[in-house]
């Protein structure tokens, strides 16, 4: 839009982002989690804010500073992440980058002690799928983007997820190498019309490129 300066291509838009892992307590000192540094999601939040968007970042436990101009909501569990997303709606765009733990356990109130016997098996319950829930919600953002970190058959899994979850784009990456916690990422933008594979780039460059594609898609 010509009346906006370049730096304000997302002015007036609310962009909701999840990032980092979730932690699902087993007892007060132990938890289940996915590997995630939060770097890619935080980089996307920074990029969106720098284009003038109002950014809400729902963050799991990570060791990262809040990007300038971003409203950050810290959560620990998947259920808390789902509630924070609900409370932050409506949004024009949601980008769910978080590595949500797929299962939770009923946390013990006090620390479980080892006693030399085999531990009791953990009873696991599946967490709600925040992305799929948002896709089916009356408050579905106009542009809904998921991530898929895969170790094998990356594009097949990503295309299946796009269809299964009802989102608009999936950003897929291969995590069989040492991407986790690293500073670079090689991603594929998977949409209903095809796959676009980007070169390996610093995570901030991936974020800048994604956010500029989002700005294009909204105009
Ligand atoms: N996601 C979510 N809520 C969950 C699980 C995943 O919102 N409970 C989102 C992630 O943030 C990501 C996308 O869904 O944007 C894909 O996550 P992923 O773990 O790859 O998908 P799953 O359906 O959980 O499949 P998998 O068995 O490969 O873990
Ligand atoms: Ca999962």
């Amino acid at each position: 839009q010509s009346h906006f300066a370049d730096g304000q291509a997302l002015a007036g838009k609310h962009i909701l982002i999840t990032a980092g892992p979730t932690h699902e307590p087993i007892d007060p000192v132990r938890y289940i989690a996915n590997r995630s540094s939060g770097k890619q999601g935080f980089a996307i939040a920074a990029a969106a804010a720098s284009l003038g968007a109002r950014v809400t970042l729902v963050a799991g436990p990570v060791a990262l500073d809040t990007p300038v101009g971003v409203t950050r909501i810290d959560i620990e569990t998947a259920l808390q992440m789902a509630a924070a997303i609900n409370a932050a709606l409506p949004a024009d765009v949601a980008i769910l980058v978080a590595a949500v733990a797929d299962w939770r356990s009923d946390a013990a109130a006090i620390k479980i002690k080892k006693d030399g016997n085999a531990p009791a098996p953990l009873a696991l319950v599946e967490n709600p799928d925040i992305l799929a829930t948002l896709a089916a919600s009356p408050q579905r953002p106009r542009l809904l983007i998921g991530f898929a970190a895969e170790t094998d058959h990356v594009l097949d899994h990503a295309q299946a997820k796009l269809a299964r979850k009802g989102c608009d784009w999936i950003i897929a990456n291969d995590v069989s190498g040492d991407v986790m916690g690293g500073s670079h990422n090689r991603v594929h933008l998977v949409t209903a019309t095809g796959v676009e594979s980007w070169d390996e780039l610093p995570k901030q460059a991936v974020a800048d490129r994604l956010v500029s594609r989002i700005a294009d898609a909204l105009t």
Side-chain angles (χ1 to χ4, degrees):
Q1 297 221 318
S2 54
H3 60 283
F4 285 127
D6 260 6
Q8 295 299 300
L10 290 174
K13 305 293 188 211
H14 181 208
I15 300 196
L16 194 48
I17 299 170
T18 66
T22 66
H23 285 184
E24 311 298 328
I26 295 169
D27 70 14
V29 300
R30 305 182 178 96
Y31 60 81
I32 300 167
N34 283 27
R35 279 188 207 286
S36 171
S37 67
K39 284 178 190 167
Q40 188 63 79
F42 274 57
I44 293 167
S50 73
L51 287 190
R54 177 162 77 84
V55 178
T56 304
L57 173 61
V58 179
V62 293
L64 295 172
D65 293 330
T66 308
V68 173
V70 168
T71 301
R72 173 177 179 171
I73 300 165
D74 285 316
I75 55 83
E76 197 166 322
T77 68
L79 290 178
Q80 290 165 357
M81 181 172 275
I85 290 289
N86 269 329
L89 290 170
D92 300 285
V93 181
I95 314 165
L96 304 194
V97 194
V100 181
D102 290 310
W103 304 280
R104 68 179 180 276
S105 168
D106 239 340
I110 58 171
K111 188 180 173 188
I112 301 166
K113 301 304 287 184
K114 45 179 192 193
D115 62 4
N117 296 314
L122 281 179
L124 297 177
V125 179
E126 192 167 316
N127 274 325
D129 189 315
I130 299 166
L131 178 57
T133 304
L134 202 48
S137 135
Q139 298 210 83
R140 186 197 196 279
R142 184 174 147 202
L143 184 60
L144 183 54
I145 304 172
F147 269 64
E150 308 289 350
T151 57
D152 57 273
H153 303 89
V154 176
L155 295 179
D156 289 344
H157 285 312
Q159 270 154 344
K161 270 175 197 170
L162 184 74
R164 191 169 76 234
K165 289 170 181 269
C167 57
D168 300 303
W169 300 352
I170 288 273
I171 307 297
N173 66 343
D174 185 331
V175 294
S176 61
D178 61 354
V179 180
M180 296 287 191
S183 60
H184 287 60
N185 210 354
R186 181 164 184 277
V187 306
H188 310 271
L189 170 58
V190 180
T191 70
T193 56
V195 177
E196 199 183 290
S197 296
W198 297 357
D199 291 336
E200 182 175 291
L201 293 167
K203 285 181 176 174
Q204 190 60 62
V206 170
D208 292 342
R209 192 153 165 181
L210 175 61
V211 164
S212 121
R213 295 297 287 268
I214 291 169
D216 289 348
L218 293 181
T219 53

